[in-house]
């Protein structure tokens, strides 16, 4: 388990970029944290770290966005997902083991469907408006992220 203090969106994005470098193809990055805690900002960093050129926005209405990247990044918003069928309709099961990196907002809602080797990224608010504590749990290829 590793913890990082973020003092603003740029910090959070940098952490995402750094984490991208240590993910294996097919990794599932499961985000936990409330609205506005920084999950999409972190995903923007992941995208940059995977050399995506498309801009990352919240997949709230589409539920899923597929971006390019090396490997490709797939970004889910599970905020409205309550059932296995709804989860299936996002393509989640097809993307698992596709070799894409999956970034999953609102993983709270699909906790039972997450693979055991998912990398969990939890967001906590700090005392100031721009303060976040970001906790990363799970195995990655190597652990130089954030150093
Ligand atoms: N340290 C920080 N890290 C990330 N975002 C921050 C930070 N400080 C302030 N912010 C602001 O908080 C907001 C985070 O928004 P973001 O869309 O990433 O949240 P989210 O967790 O994806 O929310 P949602 O659940 O609604 O999708 C942005 O407006 C960003 O500018
Ligand atoms: Mg979001």
């Amino acid at each position: 388990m590793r913890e990082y203090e973020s003092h603003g969106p740029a910090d959070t994005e940098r952490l995402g970029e750094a984490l991208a470098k240590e993910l294996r193809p097919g990794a599932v990055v499961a985000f936990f944290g409330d609205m506005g805690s920084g999950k999409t900002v972190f995903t923007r960093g992941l995208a940059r770290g995977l050399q995506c050129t498309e801009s990352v926005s919240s997949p709230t209405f589409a539920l899923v966005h597929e971006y390019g990247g090396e490997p490709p990044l797939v970004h889910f918003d599970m905020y409205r997902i309550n059932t296995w069928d709804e989860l299936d309709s996002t393509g989640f099961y097809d993307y698992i083991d596709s070799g894409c990196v999956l970034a999953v907002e609102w993983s709270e809602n699909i906790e039972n469907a997450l693979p055991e080797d998912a990398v969990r990224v939890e967001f906590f608010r700090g005392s100031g408006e721009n303060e976040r504590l970001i906790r990363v749990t799970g195995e990655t290829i190597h652990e130089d992220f954030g150093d």
Side-chain angles (χ1 to χ4, degrees):
M1 193 258 278
R2 295 172 276 167
E3 284 185 343
Y4 303 91
E5 279 176 18
S6 167
H7 306 292
D11 277 357
T12 298
E13 199 171 320
R14 263 194 303 276
L15 285 168
E17 184 175 6
L19 180 65
K21 309 284 187 205
E22 46 169 281
L23 294 174
R24 57 172 181 81
V28 175
V29 182
F31 297 125
F32 297 81
D34 65 7
M35 243 174 234
S37 59
K39 303 178 293 292
T40 298
V41 168
F42 192 99
T43 304
R44 227 162 254 148
L46 281 181
R48 199 163 60 181
L50 298 172
Q51 329 293 337
C52 295
T53 49
E54 291 160 77
S55 64
V56 169
S57 59
S58 178
T60 303
F61 297 106
L63 303 181
V64 54
H65 284 165
E66 190 178 337
Y67 299 107
E70 205 38 66
L73 175 68
V74 187
H75 184 195
F76 294 90
D77 185 340
M78 302 304 190
Y79 186 68
R80 291 197 189 78
I81 300 299
N82 298 304
T83 67
W84 293 89
D85 279 352
E86 286 167 1
L87 179 57
D88 194 30
S89 76
T90 67
F92 180 77
Y93 298 112
D94 301 320
Y95 280 117
I96 290 267
D97 297 327
S98 68
C100 298
V101 168
L102 275 53
V104 185
E105 299 200 26
W106 291 100
S107 283
E108 288 90 340
N109 290 349
I110 65 147
E111 188 135 23
N112 296 334
L114 290 172
E116 243 171 68
D117 61 359
V119 178
R120 299 170 64 103
V121 182
E122 295 168 89
F123 296 81
F124 303 93
R125 287 169 191 276
S127 46
E129 168 134 6
N130 297 326
E131 303 298 315
R132 304 285 188 274
L133 179 79
I134 299 175
R135 180 182 296 158
V136 179
T137 326
E139 242 177 90
T140 53
I141 293 173
H142 51 90
E143 295 216 343
D144 58 3
F145 160 52
D147 291 348

